[in-house]
Short mmCIF file of all heavy atoms in Angstrom, two decimals:
data_model
loop_
_atom_site.label_atom_id
_atom_site.label_comp_id
_atom_site.label_asym_id
_atom_site.label_seq_id
_atom_site.Cartn_x
_atom_site.Cartn_y
_atom_site.Cartn_z
N LYS A 1 145.36 78.14 69.76
CA LYS A 1 144.14 77.81 69.03
C LYS A 1 143.05 78.80 69.38
O LYS A 1 142.74 79.03 70.56
CB LYS A 1 143.68 76.38 69.37
CG LYS A 1 144.71 75.31 69.01
CD LYS A 1 145.08 75.35 67.55
CE LYS A 1 146.14 74.32 67.17
NZ LYS A 1 146.57 74.44 65.76
N ALA A 2 142.48 79.42 68.35
CA ALA A 2 141.45 80.44 68.56
C ALA A 2 140.19 79.82 69.14
O ALA A 2 139.86 78.65 68.89
CB ALA A 2 141.14 81.14 67.23
N ASP A 3 139.48 80.60 69.92
CA ASP A 3 138.23 80.16 70.52
C ASP A 3 137.05 80.49 69.62
O ASP A 3 137.06 81.51 68.91
CB ASP A 3 138.02 80.82 71.88
CG ASP A 3 138.97 80.29 72.94
OD1 ASP A 3 139.12 79.07 73.02
OD2 ASP A 3 139.56 81.10 73.68
N ARG A 4 136.05 79.66 69.68
CA ARG A 4 134.79 79.90 68.97
C ARG A 4 133.66 79.72 69.98
O ARG A 4 133.61 78.73 70.70
CB ARG A 4 134.60 78.92 67.81
CG ARG A 4 135.72 78.99 66.76
CD ARG A 4 135.56 80.20 65.86
NE ARG A 4 136.61 80.24 64.85
CZ ARG A 4 137.70 80.98 64.94
NH1 ARG A 4 137.90 81.74 66.00
NH2 ARG A 4 138.61 80.98 63.99
N SER A 5 132.75 80.68 70.04
CA SER A 5 131.63 80.59 70.98
C SER A 5 130.31 80.70 70.23
O SER A 5 130.24 81.30 69.16
CB SER A 5 131.72 81.69 72.05
OG SER A 5 131.69 82.98 71.45
N ALA A 6 129.28 80.11 70.80
CA ALA A 6 127.94 80.15 70.21
C ALA A 6 126.97 80.65 71.27
O ALA A 6 127.12 80.38 72.46
CB ALA A 6 127.52 78.77 69.71
N GLN A 7 125.97 81.41 70.80
CA GLN A 7 124.97 81.94 71.71
C GLN A 7 123.64 81.24 71.49
O GLN A 7 123.33 80.77 70.41
CB GLN A 7 124.80 83.45 71.50
CG GLN A 7 126.04 84.26 71.84
CD GLN A 7 125.83 85.74 71.63
OE1 GLN A 7 124.73 86.19 71.31
NE2 GLN A 7 126.89 86.52 71.80
N GLY A 8 122.87 81.18 72.56
CA GLY A 8 121.53 80.60 72.49
C GLY A 8 120.61 81.32 73.45
O GLY A 8 121.03 82.20 74.20
N SER A 9 119.35 80.94 73.44
CA SER A 9 118.37 81.57 74.31
C SER A 9 118.66 81.23 75.76
O SER A 9 118.94 80.07 76.11
CB SER A 9 116.96 81.11 73.94
OG SER A 9 116.01 81.61 74.87
N PHE A 10 118.61 82.24 76.64
CA PHE A 10 118.83 82.02 78.07
C PHE A 10 117.64 81.32 78.70
O PHE A 10 117.73 80.73 79.75
CB PHE A 10 119.07 83.37 78.75
CG PHE A 10 119.55 83.24 80.16
CD1 PHE A 10 120.84 82.85 80.45
CD2 PHE A 10 118.69 83.51 81.22
CE1 PHE A 10 121.28 82.72 81.76
CE2 PHE A 10 119.12 83.39 82.53
CZ PHE A 10 120.42 83.00 82.79
N GLY A 11 116.49 81.41 78.05
CA GLY A 11 115.27 80.81 78.59
C GLY A 11 114.09 81.73 78.37
O GLY A 11 114.23 82.85 77.88
N GLU A 12 112.91 81.27 78.72
CA GLU A 12 111.69 82.06 78.56
C GLU A 12 110.88 82.08 79.84
O GLU A 12 110.96 81.14 80.65
CB GLU A 12 110.83 81.51 77.42
CG GLU A 12 111.44 81.69 76.03
CD GLU A 12 110.51 81.23 74.93
OE1 GLU A 12 109.56 80.48 75.24
OE2 GLU A 12 110.71 81.64 73.77
N MET A 13 110.14 83.15 80.02
CA MET A 13 109.26 83.29 81.19
C MET A 13 107.84 83.45 80.68
O MET A 13 107.59 84.25 79.76
CB MET A 13 109.69 84.51 82.01
CG MET A 13 108.82 84.78 83.21
SD MET A 13 109.51 86.11 84.25
CE MET A 13 109.56 87.47 83.08
N LEU A 14 106.89 82.71 81.26
CA LEU A 14 105.49 82.78 80.85
C LEU A 14 104.81 83.93 81.60
O LEU A 14 104.81 83.95 82.83
CB LEU A 14 104.78 81.46 81.13
CG LEU A 14 103.30 81.40 80.72
CD1 LEU A 14 103.16 81.55 79.20
CD2 LEU A 14 102.67 80.09 81.19
N LEU A 15 104.25 84.86 80.85
CA LEU A 15 103.54 85.98 81.45
C LEU A 15 102.06 85.65 81.60
O LEU A 15 101.43 85.10 80.70
CB LEU A 15 103.70 87.24 80.58
CG LEU A 15 105.13 87.75 80.38
CD1 LEU A 15 105.11 89.04 79.56
CD2 LEU A 15 105.82 87.98 81.71
N VAL A 16 101.52 85.99 82.77
CA VAL A 16 100.11 85.73 83.07
C VAL A 16 99.46 87.01 83.57
O VAL A 16 100.05 87.75 84.38
CB VAL A 16 99.98 84.61 84.14
CG1 VAL A 16 98.51 84.40 84.51
CG2 VAL A 16 100.60 83.33 83.66
N ASN A 17 98.25 87.29 83.08
CA ASN A 17 97.48 88.44 83.55
C ASN A 17 97.01 88.18 84.97
O ASN A 17 96.25 87.24 85.22
CB ASN A 17 96.28 88.69 82.61
CG ASN A 17 95.56 89.99 82.94
OD1 ASN A 17 95.27 90.27 84.09
ND2 ASN A 17 95.25 90.75 81.90
N ARG A 18 97.48 88.98 85.92
CA ARG A 18 97.14 88.76 87.33
C ARG A 18 95.65 88.91 87.60
O ARG A 18 95.10 88.22 88.45
CB ARG A 18 97.91 89.75 88.22
CG ARG A 18 99.35 89.38 88.43
CD ARG A 18 100.01 90.39 89.34
NE ARG A 18 101.07 89.79 90.11
CZ ARG A 18 101.77 90.42 91.03
NH1 ARG A 18 101.51 91.68 91.29
NH2 ARG A 18 102.71 89.80 91.69
N ALA A 19 95.02 89.82 86.88
CA ALA A 19 93.61 90.09 87.13
C ALA A 19 92.71 88.95 86.66
O ALA A 19 91.78 88.53 87.35
CB ALA A 19 93.20 91.40 86.46
N THR A 20 93.02 88.41 85.45
CA THR A 20 92.15 87.40 84.86
C THR A 20 92.72 85.99 84.95
O THR A 20 92.00 85.00 84.79
CB THR A 20 91.89 87.73 83.39
OG1 THR A 20 93.14 87.66 82.67
CG2 THR A 20 91.31 89.15 83.25
N GLY A 21 94.01 85.89 85.16
CA GLY A 21 94.65 84.57 85.18
C GLY A 21 94.95 84.04 83.80
O GLY A 21 95.46 82.92 83.65
N ALA A 22 94.63 84.84 82.76
CA ALA A 22 94.86 84.38 81.39
C ALA A 22 96.33 84.49 81.02
O ALA A 22 97.03 85.42 81.47
CB ALA A 22 94.02 85.20 80.41
N GLU A 23 96.78 83.57 80.22
CA GLU A 23 98.17 83.61 79.76
C GLU A 23 98.35 84.71 78.72
O GLU A 23 97.57 84.82 77.79
CB GLU A 23 98.58 82.26 79.15
CG GLU A 23 98.63 81.12 80.16
CD GLU A 23 99.14 79.83 79.54
OE1 GLU A 23 99.47 79.86 78.33
OE2 GLU A 23 99.21 78.81 80.25
N VAL A 24 99.38 85.51 78.92
CA VAL A 24 99.70 86.57 77.97
C VAL A 24 100.63 86.04 76.88
O VAL A 24 100.50 86.36 75.70
CB VAL A 24 100.36 87.77 78.69
CG1 VAL A 24 100.77 88.85 77.68
CG2 VAL A 24 99.41 88.34 79.72
N GLY A 25 101.58 85.19 77.28
CA GLY A 25 102.52 84.61 76.34
C GLY A 25 103.91 84.57 76.92
O GLY A 25 104.16 85.07 78.03
N PRO A 26 104.85 83.98 76.19
CA PRO A 26 106.23 83.87 76.69
C PRO A 26 107.01 85.16 76.49
O PRO A 26 106.77 85.91 75.55
CB PRO A 26 106.82 82.74 75.85
CG PRO A 26 106.08 82.83 74.54
CD PRO A 26 104.68 83.29 74.90
N LEU A 27 107.96 85.40 77.39
CA LEU A 27 108.87 86.54 77.29
C LEU A 27 110.29 86.00 77.32
O LEU A 27 110.69 85.32 78.27
CB LEU A 27 108.66 87.51 78.46
CG LEU A 27 109.66 88.68 78.55
CD1 LEU A 27 109.47 89.61 77.35
CD2 LEU A 27 109.48 89.44 79.86
N GLY A 28 111.05 86.27 76.26
CA GLY A 28 112.43 85.81 76.21
C GLY A 28 113.29 86.49 77.26
O GLY A 28 113.12 87.68 77.55
N MET A 29 114.21 85.74 77.84
CA MET A 29 115.09 86.26 78.89
C MET A 29 116.45 86.68 78.34
O MET A 29 117.39 86.92 79.09
CB MET A 29 115.28 85.19 79.97
CG MET A 29 113.99 84.78 80.65
SD MET A 29 113.27 86.12 81.61
CE MET A 29 114.44 86.18 82.96
N GLY A 30 116.57 86.74 76.99
CA GLY A 30 117.82 87.18 76.41
C GLY A 30 118.71 86.04 75.98
O GLY A 30 118.33 84.86 76.04
N ALA A 31 119.91 86.39 75.53
CA ALA A 31 120.86 85.40 75.02
C ALA A 31 121.95 85.11 76.03
O ALA A 31 122.22 85.90 76.93
CB ALA A 31 121.48 85.92 73.72
N ALA A 32 122.57 83.96 75.87
CA ALA A 32 123.70 83.57 76.71
C ALA A 32 124.68 82.76 75.87
O ALA A 32 124.30 82.18 74.84
CB ALA A 32 123.22 82.72 77.90
N VAL A 33 125.94 82.75 76.27
CA VAL A 33 126.94 81.91 75.60
C VAL A 33 126.68 80.48 76.01
O VAL A 33 126.78 80.13 77.19
CB VAL A 33 128.36 82.35 75.99
CG1 VAL A 33 129.38 81.40 75.37
CG2 VAL A 33 128.63 83.78 75.53
N THR A 34 126.33 79.64 75.04
CA THR A 34 125.97 78.25 75.35
C THR A 34 127.15 77.29 75.20
O THR A 34 127.26 76.32 75.94
CB THR A 34 124.82 77.78 74.43
OG1 THR A 34 125.20 77.98 73.06
CG2 THR A 34 123.55 78.57 74.72
N THR A 35 128.02 77.54 74.22
CA THR A 35 129.18 76.67 74.02
C THR A 35 130.39 77.51 73.67
O THR A 35 130.27 78.56 73.04
CB THR A 35 128.94 75.65 72.89
OG1 THR A 35 128.66 76.34 71.67
CG2 THR A 35 127.80 74.71 73.22
N ALA A 36 131.54 77.05 74.10
CA ALA A 36 132.81 77.67 73.73
C ALA A 36 133.82 76.56 73.50
O ALA A 36 133.98 75.66 74.34
CB ALA A 36 133.29 78.61 74.84
N ARG A 37 134.47 76.57 72.37
CA ARG A 37 135.43 75.52 72.04
C ARG A 37 136.59 76.12 71.26
O ARG A 37 136.48 77.21 70.68
CB ARG A 37 134.77 74.40 71.22
CG ARG A 37 134.23 74.87 69.88
CD ARG A 37 133.66 73.75 69.05
NE ARG A 37 133.19 74.22 67.76
CZ ARG A 37 133.96 74.42 66.71
NH1 ARG A 37 135.27 74.19 66.79
NH2 ARG A 37 133.47 74.85 65.56
N ALA A 38 137.69 75.40 71.26
CA ALA A 38 138.86 75.84 70.51
C ALA A 38 138.83 75.25 69.10
O ALA A 38 138.45 74.09 68.91
CB ALA A 38 140.13 75.40 71.23
N ASP A 39 139.20 76.05 68.13
CA ASP A 39 139.31 75.59 66.75
C ASP A 39 140.68 74.91 66.60
O ASP A 39 141.71 75.56 66.61
CB ASP A 39 139.21 76.79 65.80
CG ASP A 39 139.28 76.39 64.34
OD1 ASP A 39 139.52 75.20 64.05
OD2 ASP A 39 139.11 77.27 63.47
N MET A 40 140.67 73.59 66.47
CA MET A 40 141.90 72.81 66.48
C MET A 40 142.51 72.64 65.09
O MET A 40 143.38 71.79 64.89
CB MET A 40 141.63 71.43 67.10
CG MET A 40 141.05 71.47 68.50
SD MET A 40 142.06 72.44 69.66
CE MET A 40 143.57 71.50 69.67
N SER A 41 142.12 73.45 64.14
CA SER A 41 142.68 73.35 62.79
C SER A 41 144.19 73.58 62.80
O SER A 41 144.70 74.38 63.59
CB SER A 41 142.02 74.37 61.86
OG SER A 41 140.63 74.19 61.82
N GLN A 42 144.88 72.86 61.90
CA GLN A 42 146.33 73.03 61.76
C GLN A 42 146.64 74.44 61.26
O GLN A 42 146.04 74.93 60.32
CB GLN A 42 146.87 72.00 60.77
CG GLN A 42 148.34 72.18 60.41
CD GLN A 42 149.27 71.48 61.39
OE1 GLN A 42 149.05 70.34 61.77
NE2 GLN A 42 150.30 72.19 61.82
N ALA A 43 147.59 75.11 61.93
CA ALA A 43 148.03 76.43 61.48
C ALA A 43 149.30 76.28 60.65
O ALA A 43 149.96 75.22 60.65
CB ALA A 43 148.28 77.34 62.68
N ALA A 44 149.67 77.32 59.95
CA ALA A 44 150.86 77.29 59.09
C ALA A 44 152.12 77.18 59.94
O ALA A 44 152.18 77.64 61.09
CB ALA A 44 150.91 78.55 58.24
N LEU A 45 153.15 76.53 59.37
CA LEU A 45 154.43 76.38 60.07
C LEU A 45 155.37 77.50 59.67
O LEU A 45 155.39 77.94 58.52
CB LEU A 45 155.06 75.03 59.74
CG LEU A 45 154.22 73.78 60.02
CD1 LEU A 45 155.07 72.52 59.84
CD2 LEU A 45 153.59 73.81 61.39
N ARG A 46 156.15 77.94 60.64
CA ARG A 46 157.11 79.03 60.40
C ARG A 46 158.51 78.53 60.76
O ARG A 46 158.74 78.01 61.85
CB ARG A 46 156.74 80.23 61.28
CG ARG A 46 157.74 81.36 61.30
CD ARG A 46 157.18 82.55 62.04
NE ARG A 46 156.80 82.24 63.40
CZ ARG A 46 157.63 82.29 64.45
NH1 ARG A 46 158.91 82.61 64.25
NH2 ARG A 46 157.21 82.02 65.66
#
């Protein structure tokens, strides 16, 4: 049975200006494989 995987966000980090303490905004930490499952569909018979 073939595998199927899905990707999602690894998470976010909040950036802050050290000098002023003001929030700059979120920074994405990239993608990660969130789920992996087998495709259980019936295959052809030989």
Side-chain angles (χ1 to χ4, degrees):
K1 299 303 178 184
D3 289 314
R4 300 283 181 261
S5 60
Q7 296 180 5
S9 174
F10 190 74
E12 292 185 341
M13 178 173 59
L14 181 63
L15 299 183
V16 177
N17 188 314
R18 282 182 150 184
T20 64
E23 293 184 1
V24 177
L27 174 66
M29 299 294 289
V33 176
T34 55
T35 59
R37 62 177 182 82
D39 182 354
M40 303 305 297
S41 302
Q42 173 86 46
L45 304 189
R46 172 172 59 87

